[in-house]
Each structure stands twice: as C-alpha cells, then as structure tokens.
Amino acid sequence: MPLPSSTRHVGLLNLGNTCYMNSMIQILFSVSEFRDSLLSLSLPSQPASLLFQFQLLLTSLLRSQRPFYDPSAFCRALGVDVNRQMDVDEFFSTFMDRLEECLGEKKSLIREQFGGSMRHSITCEECRAESVREELCLSLPLVVKNKSSIQEGLAELVMAESLYGQNAYHCE
Ligand SMILES: [Zn+2]
C-alpha cells in the first residue's frame, strides 16, 4: 500500500560511489525554498543541460511514484565520475559553481539561500592593531567528529587562538 504523499520519500540510486552526492542532493532537495525557486524557473531547451537535469531530478523526488530515481543523466550533465568517491564539500562547491553558471541572471538565487561571509581577524597583542579579512562562503568548515552538538563545532570554529613561533603575527 503506498504511503501518504507527505511521508513518502523518493530515494536516489547509488551508481557506484555516489552516496556522498545522493546525501547532498537530498539535503538540497529538503531546502524547500531553494527547491521551489529552482523549479519555478522555465525549463531550458537542452535536456543535456545541468539545469534541466537538476529540475528533472527535483521533480522526480517530489512526484515520482517509484521508490527511487536514477541520477545517471544528472551525473553526465555535471561530469561526475560515478566510480570516484569525492569529498562532499568539494562536490557541493563544484555543483554550486556550475549551477550558478547555468542560472545566468538568476544566479543570485544560490547566494540568497546559502551565502554567508567569514570574517578572519588578527589582533596584535602589543598595540591591539587589528588586521581583518572577509571572505564570502556557501558553507562552513565545521568539525563534527567527537563533538556532542553542532553548537560545539560552531563554538570551536569562532574560537580565538594565539599565534606563536612560525605562525606569529608581526604587525607593521
Ligand atoms: Zn602591534
């Protein structure tokens, strides 16, 4: 008996070593605002294009009556080698870069959803002079291994550290 649509989830076929990709796509799919704004764009005319294939994949995860979707055509459009295990963060940035290219004037959609900035600042212990560098990002390099919560990882990410020896900071 089919489950009610609200609790039914469509899976993604593992094509070899693509479990990292499938997890990331399911996460992106679950960001409903991102998914809906991509699906509201008009469909490109070339079925081989990445945007076309991603829209098809999202629609299938949303509406397919089958238990899973085969992302082979999506992998071809993105140029993913299905036999090579890739770092999920590397996959995410490559995918977002490529998607941004496909979106043209709608490319701000990605930054609106996931964009943030990291501010790195170094303060001189002697004169308190501060050197600041700000960097735009789509993801945070969060350590979760051996952490009891995401908050703990976030706290570590923004923790100040002292620079000594070879890493010492010399202000002008
Ligand atoms: Zn100084």
Side-chain angles (χ1 to χ4, degrees), residues 124-129 169-172:
C124 171
E125 299 238 301
E126 281 163 39
C127 68
R128 311 306 298 169
Y169 170 69
H170 303 284
C171 85
E172 311 286 294

mmCIF file with all atom_site columns, all heavy atoms in Angstrom, residues 124-129 169-172, ligand 1:
data_model
loop_
_atom_site.group_PDB
_atom_site.id
_atom_site.type_symbol
_atom_site.label_atom_id
_atom_site.label_alt_id
_atom_site.label_comp_id
_atom_site.label_asym_id
_atom_site.label_entity_id
_atom_site.label_seq_id
_atom_site.pdbx_PDB_ins_code
_atom_site.Cartn_x
_atom_site.Cartn_y
_atom_site.Cartn_z
_atom_site.occupancy
_atom_site.B_iso_or_equiv
_atom_site.pdbx_formal_charge
_atom_site.auth_seq_id
_atom_site.auth_comp_id
_atom_site.auth_asym_id
_atom_site.auth_atom_id
_atom_site.pdbx_PDB_model_num
ATOM   1  N  N   . CYS A 1 124 ? 46.986 42.283 17.171 1.00 0.00 ? 124 CYS A N   1
ATOM   2  C  CA  . CYS A 1 124 ? 48.335 42.309 17.743 1.00 0.00 ? 124 CYS A CA  1
ATOM   3  C  C   . CYS A 1 124 ? 48.234 42.473 19.261 1.00 0.00 ? 124 CYS A C   1
ATOM   4  O  O   . CYS A 1 124 ? 47.526 43.344 19.754 1.00 0.00 ? 124 CYS A O   1
ATOM   5  C  CB  . CYS A 1 124 ? 49.139 43.468 17.126 1.00 0.00 ? 124 CYS A CB  1
ATOM   6  S  SG  . CYS A 1 124 ? 50.710 43.754 17.947 1.00 0.00 ? 124 CYS A SG  1
ATOM   7  N  N   . GLU A 1 125 ? 48.911 41.590 19.984 1.00 0.00 ? 125 GLU A N   1
ATOM   8  C  CA  . GLU A 1 125 ? 48.828 41.611 21.447 1.00 0.00 ? 125 GLU A CA  1
ATOM   9  C  C   . GLU A 1 125 ? 49.465 42.868 22.039 1.00 0.00 ? 125 GLU A C   1
ATOM   10 O  O   . GLU A 1 125 ? 49.101 43.292 23.121 1.00 0.00 ? 125 GLU A O   1
ATOM   11 C  CB  . GLU A 1 125 ? 49.523 40.376 22.026 1.00 0.00 ? 125 GLU A CB  1
ATOM   12 C  CG  . GLU A 1 125 ? 48.896 39.085 21.582 1.00 0.00 ? 125 GLU A CG  1
ATOM   13 C  CD  . GLU A 1 125 ? 48.421 38.237 22.753 1.00 0.00 ? 125 GLU A CD  1
ATOM   14 O  OE1 . GLU A 1 125 ? 49.274 37.894 23.587 1.00 0.00 ? 125 GLU A OE1 1
ATOM   15 O  OE2 . GLU A 1 125 ? 47.212 37.951 22.813 1.00 0.00 ? 125 GLU A OE2 1
ATOM   16 N  N   . GLU A 1 126 ? 50.417 43.425 21.313 1.00 0.00 ? 126 GLU A N   1
ATOM   17 C  CA  . GLU A 1 126 ? 51.115 44.589 21.853 1.00 0.00 ? 126 GLU A CA  1
ATOM   18 C  C   . GLU A 1 126 ? 50.348 45.891 21.642 1.00 0.00 ? 126 GLU A C   1
ATOM   19 O  O   . GLU A 1 126 ? 50.049 46.601 22.578 1.00 0.00 ? 126 GLU A O   1
ATOM   20 C  CB  . GLU A 1 126 ? 52.514 44.703 21.243 1.00 0.00 ? 126 GLU A CB  1
ATOM   21 C  CG  . GLU A 1 126 ? 53.491 43.746 21.910 1.00 0.00 ? 126 GLU A CG  1
ATOM   22 C  CD  . GLU A 1 126 ? 54.738 43.526 21.099 1.00 0.00 ? 126 GLU A CD  1
ATOM   23 O  OE1 . GLU A 1 126 ? 55.242 44.494 20.501 1.00 0.00 ? 126 GLU A OE1 1
ATOM   24 O  OE2 . GLU A 1 126 ? 55.207 42.360 21.055 1.00 0.00 ? 126 GLU A OE2 1
ATOM   25 N  N   . CYS A 1 127 ? 50.013 46.205 20.360 1.00 0.00 ? 127 CYS A N   1
ATOM   26 C  CA  . CYS A 1 127 ? 49.369 47.500 20.112 1.00 0.00 ? 127 CYS A CA  1
ATOM   27 C  C   . CYS A 1 127 ? 47.872 47.378 19.836 1.00 0.00 ? 127 CYS A C   1
ATOM   28 O  O   . CYS A 1 127 ? 47.213 48.385 19.594 1.00 0.00 ? 127 CYS A O   1
ATOM   29 C  CB  . CYS A 1 127 ? 50.065 48.226 18.971 1.00 0.00 ? 127 CYS A CB  1
ATOM   30 S  SG  . CYS A 1 127 ? 49.817 47.402 17.399 1.00 0.00 ? 127 CYS A SG  1
ATOM   31 N  N   . ARG A 1 128 ? 47.323 46.175 19.881 1.00 0.00 ? 128 ARG A N   1
ATOM   32 C  CA  . ARG A 1 128 ? 45.906 45.904 19.635 1.00 0.00 ? 128 ARG A CA  1
ATOM   33 C  C   . ARG A 1 128 ? 45.457 46.237 18.202 1.00 0.00 ? 128 ARG A C   1
ATOM   34 O  O   . ARG A 1 128 ? 44.258 46.303 17.940 1.00 0.00 ? 128 ARG A O   1
ATOM   35 C  CB  . ARG A 1 128 ? 44.964 46.634 20.632 1.00 0.00 ? 128 ARG A CB  1
ATOM   36 C  CG  . ARG A 1 128 ? 45.335 46.496 22.095 1.00 0.00 ? 128 ARG A CG  1
ATOM   37 C  CD  . ARG A 1 128 ? 45.501 45.096 22.585 1.00 0.00 ? 128 ARG A CD  1
ATOM   38 N  NE  . ARG A 1 128 ? 44.284 44.262 22.504 1.00 0.00 ? 128 ARG A NE  1
ATOM   39 C  CZ  . ARG A 1 128 ? 44.280 42.935 22.695 1.00 0.00 ? 128 ARG A CZ  1
ATOM   40 N  NH1 . ARG A 1 128 ? 45.413 42.305 22.931 1.00 0.00 ? 128 ARG A NH1 1
ATOM   41 N  NH2 . ARG A 1 128 ? 43.178 42.254 22.619 1.00 0.00 ? 128 ARG A NH2 1
ATOM   42 N  N   . ALA A 1 129 ? 46.404 46.464 17.289 1.00 0.00 ? 129 ALA A N   1
ATOM   43 C  CA  . ALA A 1 129 ? 46.038 46.729 15.889 1.00 0.00 ? 129 ALA A CA  1
ATOM   44 C  C   . ALA A 1 129 ? 45.372 45.475 15.326 1.00 0.00 ? 129 ALA A C   1
ATOM   45 O  O   . ALA A 1 129 ? 45.785 44.360 15.643 1.00 0.00 ? 129 ALA A O   1
ATOM   46 C  CB  . ALA A 1 129 ? 47.273 47.078 15.085 1.00 0.00 ? 129 ALA A CB  1
ATOM   47 N  N   . TYR A 1 169 ? 52.321 36.577 14.444 1.00 0.00 ? 169 TYR A N   1
ATOM   48 C  CA  . TYR A 1 169 ? 51.874 37.674 13.615 1.00 0.00 ? 169 TYR A CA  1
ATOM   49 C  C   . TYR A 1 169 ? 52.726 38.897 13.927 1.00 0.00 ? 169 TYR A C   1
ATOM   50 O  O   . TYR A 1 169 ? 52.919 39.256 15.082 1.00 0.00 ? 169 TYR A O   1
ATOM   51 C  CB  . TYR A 1 169 ? 50.391 37.949 13.932 1.00 0.00 ? 169 TYR A CB  1
ATOM   52 C  CG  . TYR A 1 169 ? 49.834 39.205 13.324 1.00 0.00 ? 169 TYR A CG  1
ATOM   53 C  CD1 . TYR A 1 169 ? 49.655 39.311 11.944 1.00 0.00 ? 169 TYR A CD1 1
ATOM   54 C  CD2 . TYR A 1 169 ? 49.489 40.280 14.128 1.00 0.00 ? 169 TYR A CD2 1
ATOM   55 C  CE1 . TYR A 1 169 ? 49.131 40.473 11.399 1.00 0.00 ? 169 TYR A CE1 1
ATOM   56 C  CE2 . TYR A 1 169 ? 48.959 41.451 13.583 1.00 0.00 ? 169 TYR A CE2 1
ATOM   57 C  CZ  . TYR A 1 169 ? 48.781 41.535 12.216 1.00 0.00 ? 169 TYR A CZ  1
ATOM   58 O  OH  . TYR A 1 169 ? 48.262 42.658 11.672 1.00 0.00 ? 169 TYR A OH  1
ATOM   59 N  N   . HIS A 1 170 ? 53.286 39.493 12.895 1.00 0.00 ? 170 HIS A N   1
ATOM   60 C  CA  . HIS A 1 170 ? 54.107 40.696 13.102 1.00 0.00 ? 170 HIS A CA  1
ATOM   61 C  C   . HIS A 1 170 ? 53.388 41.873 12.489 1.00 0.00 ? 170 HIS A C   1
ATOM   62 O  O   . HIS A 1 170 ? 53.171 41.907 11.278 1.00 0.00 ? 170 HIS A O   1
ATOM   63 C  CB  . HIS A 1 170 ? 55.485 40.526 12.450 1.00 0.00 ? 170 HIS A CB  1
ATOM   64 C  CG  . HIS A 1 170 ? 56.199 39.322 12.979 1.00 0.00 ? 170 HIS A CG  1
ATOM   65 N  ND1 . HIS A 1 170 ? 56.792 39.297 14.221 1.00 0.00 ? 170 HIS A ND1 1
ATOM   66 C  CD2 . HIS A 1 170 ? 56.398 38.094 12.442 1.00 0.00 ? 170 HIS A CD2 1
ATOM   67 C  CE1 . HIS A 1 170 ? 57.337 38.106 14.420 1.00 0.00 ? 170 HIS A CE1 1
ATOM   68 N  NE2 . HIS A 1 170 ? 57.094 37.353 13.353 1.00 0.00 ? 170 HIS A NE2 1
ATOM   69 N  N   . CYS A 1 171 ? 52.961 42.805 13.300 1.00 0.00 ? 171 CYS A N   1
ATOM   70 C  CA  . CYS A 1 171 ? 52.219 43.928 12.718 1.00 0.00 ? 171 CYS A CA  1
ATOM   71 C  C   . CYS A 1 171 ? 53.161 45.011 12.234 1.00 0.00 ? 171 CYS A C   1
ATOM   72 O  O   . CYS A 1 171 ? 54.295 45.105 12.701 1.00 0.00 ? 171 CYS A O   1
ATOM   73 C  CB  . CYS A 1 171 ? 51.151 44.436 13.687 1.00 0.00 ? 171 CYS A CB  1
ATOM   74 S  SG  . CYS A 1 171 ? 51.693 45.618 14.880 1.00 0.00 ? 171 CYS A SG  1
ATOM   75 N  N   . GLU A 1 172 ? 52.652 45.779 11.271 1.00 0.00 ? 172 GLU A N   1
ATOM   76 C  CA  . GLU A 1 172 ? 53.505 46.810 10.627 1.00 0.00 ? 172 GLU A CA  1
ATOM   77 C  C   . GLU A 1 172 ? 53.691 47.996 11.567 1.00 0.00 ? 172 GLU A C   1
ATOM   78 O  O   . GLU A 1 172 ? 52.768 48.481 12.121 1.00 0.00 ? 172 GLU A O   1
ATOM   79 C  CB  . GLU A 1 172 ? 52.832 47.289 9.322  1.00 0.00 ? 172 GLU A CB  1
ATOM   80 C  CG  . GLU A 1 172 ? 52.361 46.166 8.409  1.00 0.00 ? 172 GLU A CG  1
ATOM   81 C  CD  . GLU A 1 172 ? 53.491 45.455 7.677  1.00 0.00 ? 172 GLU A CD  1
ATOM   82 O  OE1 . GLU A 1 172 ? 54.122 46.104 6.850  1.00 0.00 ? 172 GLU A OE1 1
ATOM   83 O  OE2 . GLU A 1 172 ? 53.733 44.275 7.978  1.00 0.00 ? 172 GLU A OE2 1
HETATM 84 ZN ZN  . ZN  B 2 .   ? 51.393 45.726 17.016 1.00 0.00 ? 1   ZN  B ZN  1
#
